[in-house]
Amino acid sequence: MTYYLGGPQVLKKINLDIKGGAKIGVVGRTGAGKSSFVAALMRMPEAEGHIIIDNVRVKELNLQEARRYISVLGQSPVLFSGPLRKNLDVLGKLDETDLWQALEDVQLKEFVRCLGGQLDHELLEHGANVSVGERQLICLARVLLQQNKIVILDEPTAHVDPDTEQTIWNVVHEKLKDSTVITIAHRLNTIRDCDMIVVLQNGQVEEFGRFDTLMNREGSALSKMARGADV
């Protein structure tokens, strides 16, 4: 994949088979290609080769339709000005009971009950009138409501406090166990419990295997990262 015509390849010769429902951790140094990996899945821009989901080549799907079936929880919570319920249910198709259940799942139910207007509480642009942690949990509730089978977590706990971080990972482990979850992380503890680990280096897959297997392999890229050595 390149970001512009004639530009350098930011992803090269990647060939992975990810089982449905698997929890995959993606790690690598800054510039290794982690964000580009997410961009390729979201087709921003379109990658060369093929990304195939359930035997369907995603290039053959309408771009917006394809993106609709993948949920992304990134470093920076994406909220817009308007009622809280609209931020949770953009299309306005869900039952209010479902909204409250999602808020309870992310431990925001009592917080929202105390807001003026509750679900109709007006959020400022970018959610400026709630904390960063609360913004991220609102976004996580939205991910749960979307019920997508592919979820990308792009360092979602990078800017939140430890309690919120623990809540996020608890929800991921308990409520997204039937989804394929791809977690992009800088900290190795974040992806320790994943089924398989992808180690990227210079836009290529350096290693792909179980966390413990890679950590115990002498000279592995993952073990060098853990020790802070050059990879």
Side-chain angles (χ1 to χ4, degrees):
M1 189 182 81
T2 61
Y3 281 109
Y4 55 90
L5 186 64
Q9 285 190 329
V10 292
L11 297 177
K12 314 160 197 172
K13 301 178 181 178
I14 290 180
N15 186 5
L16 291 174
D17 182 11
I18 296 174
K19 304 297 183 183
K23 306 301 181 277
I24 305 296
V26 181
V27 296
R29 303 289 188 193
T30 301
K34 301 187 300 296
S35 296
S36 296
F37 190 85
V38 174
L41 292 173
M42 298 303 292
R43 300 167 68 185
M44 300 185 301
E46 201 82 70
E48 296 178 25
H50 299 289
I51 298 173
I52 301 171
I53 300 174
D54 286 347
N55 297 317
V56 176
R57 294 183 178 184
V58 296
K59 281 185 180 178
E60 298 174 359
L61 300 177
N62 171 277
L63 184 59
Q64 296 305 320
E65 188 72 11
R67 288 177 182 167
R68 193 175 301 163
Y69 296 105
I70 300 177
S71 294
V72 179
L73 185 67
Q75 296 182 39
S76 302
V78 178
L79 297 176
F80 49 86
S81 58
L84 172 60
R85 71 167 70 238
K86 190 71 173 177
N87 274 276
L88 293 170
D89 178 21
V90 178
L91 300 178
K93 292 184 176 181
L94 299 175
D95 188 85
E96 190 166 297
T97 304
D98 296 327
L99 304 187
W100 282 113
Q101 183 60 56
L103 290 170
E104 184 174 1
D105 289 341
V106 301
Q107 298 185 22
L108 278 184
K109 184 176 181 179
E110 293 309 312
F111 167 75
V112 174
R113 284 199 184 281
C114 294
L115 294 175
Q118 298 189 356
L119 289 174
D120 292 316
H121 180 76
E122 289 284 325
L123 295 178
L124 299 178
E125 189 171 359
H126 307 305
N129 53 337
V130 293
S131 73
V132 174
E134 289 155 357
R135 289 176 225 162
Q136 192 67 301
L137 291 175
I138 290 170
C139 290
L140 180 58
R142 183 168 60 205
V143 167
L144 295 182
L145 289 164
Q146 290 168 343
Q147 296 186 325
N148 282 332
K149 289 300 183 182
I150 299 177
V151 178
I152 298 172
L153 305 176
D154 189 0
E155 301 185 65
T157 61
H159 305 304
V160 301
D161 61 85
D163 288 342
T164 302
E165 178 175 15
Q166 189 59 53
T167 297
I168 289 173
W169 295 126
N170 288 344
V171 172
V172 168
H173 293 144
E174 294 170 13
K175 303 298 179 180
L176 297 177
K177 54 188 175 185
D178 294 328
S179 297
T180 303
V181 180
I182 299 174
T183 302
I184 313 297
H186 277 304
R187 289 180 290 180
L188 296 187
N189 279 342
T190 301
I191 45 85
R192 182 180 293 273
D193 295 330
C194 288
D195 300 319
M196 299 291 282
I197 307 299
V198 179
V199 182
L200 292 176
Q201 183 176 344
N202 298 322
Q204 294 181 282
V205 175
E206 181 74 9
E207 295 173 342
F208 183 51
R210 296 188 178 278
F211 186 92
D212 289 342
T213 301
L214 296 179
M215 284 294 290
N216 293 327
R217 182 185 299 163
E218 186 176 354
S220 74
L222 189 67
S223 65
K224 288 181 180 179
M225 285 184 65
R227 295 197 305 269
D230 292 332
V231 178

